[in-house]
Amino acid sequence: MSNSRAGRRWRSQPPTRAAWWPRLAFWAIAGQGFGAENLTAILCFGSAYMLVVLIEPFADLGVLVGIKSLRTLAHTGLFTHRLHHAA
C-alpha cells in the first residue's frame, strides 16, 4: 500500500471516539508542558471521557429496553408506531 493510499484511507475513516482523547492529551502536553496540574487535568478529562464512551451504549440500550417494555402503551399514541413495529 503506497503512502498516498494509506493517507486517503485514514482521511476517509475518522478515528473512533475513544481514539480522540490521546490526541488531545498530546496537544495539551505540547502546549502546557508536563506540569502536575496539567497532567492531572489530562487524566481527569481522559477518565471522564472514557467513562462516557463505555457507559453511554449501555445507558442507551437500557432506555430502549425500558421503553419497549411499555408495550401496553403502544396504542395510546404516547410512542410512535415504529417503536414497537419494525419497518
Side-chain angles (χ1 to χ4, degrees), residues 63-72 79 82-86:
V63 168
L64 185 60
V65 167
I67 289 174
K68 284 199 170 256
S69 70
L70 299 174
R71 285 193 182 270
T72 58
F79 300 114
R82 292 182 337 178
L83 181 64
H84 298 288
H85 304 287

Side-chain angles (χ1 to χ4, degrees), residues 5-80:
R5 187 173 175 202
R8 277 194 310 249
R9 183 176 183 157
W10 181 82
R11 280 178 283 186
S12 65
Q13 298 174 349
T16 61
R17 290 178 13 185
W20 280 106
W21 84 266
R23 293 178 186 199
L24 293 173
F26 169 79
W27 287 111
I29 291 171
Q32 300 293 323
F34 280 101
E37 185 176 334
N38 191 36
L39 292 178
T40 302
I42 291 169
L43 289 175
C44 182
F45 173 78
S47 61
Y49 190 81
M50 290 307 295
L51 183 66
V52 168
V53 167
L54 295 174
I55 296 296
E56 184 181 15
F58 296 110
D60 291 344
L61 285 175
V63 168
L64 185 60
V65 167
I67 289 174
K68 284 199 170 256
S69 70
L70 299 174
R71 285 193 182 270
T72 58
L73 300 175
H75 301 292
T76 63
L78 184 62
F79 300 114
T80 182

